[in-house]
Amino acid sequence: MTHYHPSVEMLTDYAAGSLPLTHALCVSTHIEHCHECQQQLRKLEILGSHLFDDVPTEPRRLDDLKQNLLSKLRKSDRVSDNSHPKESTESKLDAFLEDYSVPKSLRQFVKKSYDQLSWTRLSPSFKIATLYNEEGGAQVALTRVKAGAHMPSHTHTGDEITLVLEGAFSDEAGIYRKGDFIQRGANHKHKPIVTKDAECICLTVLDAPIEFTGWFTRLLNPLIRRHHPFTRAEG
Amino acid sequence: MEPALQQQADEQRVLDIIAIAQHRDQEALVRLFDYYVPKIRAFCLAKQPGANLMADDIAQEVMIRVWNKAHTYQKESASLNTWIFTVARNARIDYLRKNSRHQSDIDPENLWQDVVDENADPFKDMQHHRDQKRIKEGLDKLPQEQKQVLSKVYLEGKTHQEASEELSLPLGTIKSRIRLALHKLTIYIKR
Ligand SMILES: [Zn+2]
């Protein structure tokens, strides 16, 4: 049972299509398994369709556009005579072979399994794999922490979204389980601990690099920075 | 349009999409084109005023998707308007991604699905009609200032922050107007 959801503002922007892609990746991954947000999204899309239906249109001759479209369709129908493209069975098979099922929205980055990603070990119990660094923007990564381990204490310099993919962790404010969506503002300092029963894999989006705050973990900051676009060497 | 005529026209368009799915009916597509393309273009121009070429490209792309994906439309899980809206929204996201200066690698195709409901059932159908009606009636009664903010977000594709700058209103006011509106439309229930 999911207890932490994206805010209604974020869901609205998602339904409207204006949410940045990095954030949409997290929302979409959450929604895949959250019935409550699916319902809300459905209604937000109905709202969008009414606004769309009422949009004032301007008179304009569209004959050229129409003819162009129809000739395009005739050509494409001639090329591919099967009008109902077959579903690829490959992705289903991949999902079946692994221990964890990778959410559909992440398959673009996680082709087969989490194990095959290139993980960087930052401590004996903490690993990170960068999925995507947006140019001049956010970082999307997976973190993997062993059962019962402390995640390094850190402060964000920007917003952070965390989505629990597998396992669970807790901090001062509560316990977060599979599917939970947690958004934290800048300068939020916290000390998450993974629950004892299983390892924890999370999807995270950072608007700016995190800074580790302990004396030992301070050594990690250069490593993290190397994995973040803001500090990555040019070229 | 009178409600009865409106309903008749809506039903005809559903027949049209079925005709496209079942026997590639081009005349049906032309009817949908005449109804939806002006709306799709207006939806795109709301986001980027004056960008007529972009509006034409996206409108064409939407109609191609309608042609190729007509068989995935299920009237039990969404009205045709809602389905077309999601297709248009997705095409607009895709176009903007491909044509932006900072091209993102994240493929929106995986993130925004066109509404497809795998286990549609008659109860859902009823529920859907109820929501549809309630939201429509609620929208007609909303104060102009709330409707305006919703249009900024949905049609112009503005973030809450951008809406706040354009309307010269504090971000908090934008948020509360949207929450208030969603609450009246029974979309948002405080958790
Ligand atoms: Zn949810």
Side-chain angles (χ1 to χ4, degrees):
Chain A
M1 183 66 194
T2 308
H3 290 283
Y4 298 88
H5 308 267
S7 67
V8 69
E9 283 84 13
M10 201 177 260
L11 273 183
T12 308
D13 285 350
Y14 176 80
S18 57
L19 195 65
L21 291 168
T22 48
H23 293 49
L25 185 69
C26 292
V27 171
S28 172
T29 309
H30 169 83
I31 287 180
E32 240 175 85
H33 298 290
C34 179
H35 183 69
E36 208 174 318
C37 286
Q38 280 168 17
Q39 292 304 311
Q40 203 159 33
L41 177 66
R42 200 175 53 82
K43 291 183 192 172
L44 286 166
E45 286 175 337
I46 294 174
L47 171 59
S49 74
H50 286 310
L51 291 162
F52 170 77
D53 204 37
D54 289 343
V55 68
T57 57
E58 54 180 63
R60 189 180 166 94
R61 293 201 62 83
L62 295 168
D63 298 342
D64 288 352
L65 188 62
K66 194 189 289 179
Q67 288 318 316
N68 195 338
L69 170 73
L70 291 176
S71 74
K72 242 187 191 165
L73 294 182
R74 272 191 288 268
K75 258 182 235 155
S76 80
D77 273 12
R78 228 175 292 141
V79 175
S80 68
D81 224 40
N82 75 47
S83 54
H84 298 214
K86 271 176 246 141
E87 294 253 325
S88 120
T89 49
E90 202 183 333
S91 57
K92 279 179 193 155
L93 195 67
D94 286 348
F96 180 73
L97 287 172
E98 68 206 24
D99 292 344
Y100 298 125
S101 75
V102 178
K104 270 191 218 126
S105 48
L106 292 182
R107 300 260 170 88
Q108 183 195 346
F109 299 103
V110 189
K111 290 274 181 312
K112 288 201 161 67
S113 77
Y114 295 128
D115 290 335
Q116 289 179 336
L117 294 170
S118 75
W119 293 94
T120 303
R121 188 180 295 276
L122 294 179
S123 85
S125 53
F126 180 73
K127 288 189 279 190
I128 186 165
T130 303
L131 299 186
Y132 175 59
N133 275 327
E134 195 166 61
E135 213 181 310
Q139 177 196 38
V140 183
L142 293 185
T143 57
R144 193 167 194 171
V145 185
K146 285 195 175 150
H150 285 253
M151 284 152 121
S153 163
H154 64 272
T155 313
H156 316 137
T157 46
D159 280 356
E160 180 191 64
I161 298 173
T162 303
L163 182 76
V164 184
L165 297 173
E166 296 294 340
F169 76 89
S170 64
D171 67 8
E172 302 82 7
I175 177 157
Y176 313 99
R177 298 189 173 85
K178 186 171 175 166
D180 280 338
F181 185 103
I182 308 121
Q183 191 177 12
R184 300 263 188 244
N187 302 320
H188 179 98
K189 192 177 161 182
H190 62 147
K191 273 181 152 169
I193 307 172
V194 171
T195 56
K196 292 201 170 64
D197 51 333
E199 68 168 341
C200 181
I201 303 178
C202 292
L203 171 67
T204 64
V205 170
L206 295 165
D207 285 345
I210 50 174
E211 293 280 340
F212 289 101
T213 46
W215 67 269
F216 169 72
T217 44
R218 222 171 285 144
L219 296 170
L220 299 177
N221 286 332
L223 254 174
I224 290 284
R225 272 194 219 105
R226 212 182 302 149
H227 287 269
H228 197 278
F230 289 146
T231 44
R232 199 176 43 184
E234 288 296 322
Chain B
M1 209 190 285
E2 277 183 44
L5 284 175
Q6 173 83 51
Q7 199 188 342
Q8 211 176 7
D10 284 347
E11 281 164 11
Q12 177 57 46
R13 282 189 286 275
V14 171
L15 294 178
D16 284 339
I17 194 95
I18 294 170
I20 293 170
Q22 290 179 349
H23 36 265
R24 320 301 282 157
D25 186 335
Q26 285 214 7
E27 279 170 30
L29 186 80
V30 166
R31 282 191 293 273
L32 294 183
F33 181 103
D34 290 338
Y35 182 74
Y36 283 114
V37 165
K39 288 180 195 290
I40 299 164
R41 292 187 80 266
F43 172 66
C44 296
L45 291 172
K47 170 89 185 175
Q48 299 211 341
N52 277 298
L53 285 178
M54 163 182 135
D56 285 348
D57 277 357
I58 296 176
Q60 179 155 296
E61 175 60 26
V62 172
M63 295 318 289
I64 292 172
R65 291 188 192 188
V66 167
W67 182 251
N68 291 328
K69 294 168 113 187
H71 63 284
T72 66
Y73 172 69
Q74 287 170 309
K75 69 177 171 48
E76 294 76 20
S77 49
S79 75
L80 186 59
N81 275 347
T82 306
W83 189 68
I84 301 273
F85 164 70
T86 61
V87 175
R89 174 199 64 191
N90 297 358
R92 190 172 82 174
I93 295 169
D94 208 26
Y95 184 93
L96 291 172
R97 173 183 82 117
K98 286 181 181 147
N99 292 280
S100 81
R101 206 157 47 85
H102 290 299
Q103 219 186 78
S104 176
D105 286 346
I106 299 177
D107 187 353
E109 191 68 25
N110 305 317
L111 307 188
W112 280 273
Q113 311 283 335
D114 310 329
V115 252
V116 184
D117 201 328
E118 276 132 21
N119 8 327
D121 66 48
F123 290 109
K124 250 190 213 151
D125 191 18
M126 270 162 50
Q127 166 90 32
H128 184 80
H129 272 101
R130 234 186 357 250
D131 290 340
Q132 187 85 27
K133 200 161 163 260
R134 198 186 289 153
I135 292 169
K136 172 80 184 147
E137 288 167 357
L139 192 58
D140 291 340
K141 281 186 234 145
L142 277 190
Q144 191 48 41
E145 55 169 43
Q146 287 170 20
K147 228 176 155 172
Q148 180 194 34
V149 179
L150 287 179
S151 295
K152 283 249 172 253
V153 171
Y154 273 97
L155 303 177
E156 298 178 29
K158 297 276 156 54
T159 62
H160 292 60
Q161 184 61 46
E162 288 165 339
S164 127
E165 282 158 20
E166 274 188 32
L167 298 170
S168 312
L169 289 167
L171 186 59
T173 308
I174 300 290
K175 285 190 179 177
S176 68
R177 281 186 189 173
I178 289 181
R179 282 196 180 220
L180 224 57
L182 296 181
H183 191 75
K184 281 188 201 153
L185 299 172
T186 66
I187 292 174
Y188 172 58
I189 296 130
K190 207 164 189 275
R191 322 189 232 235

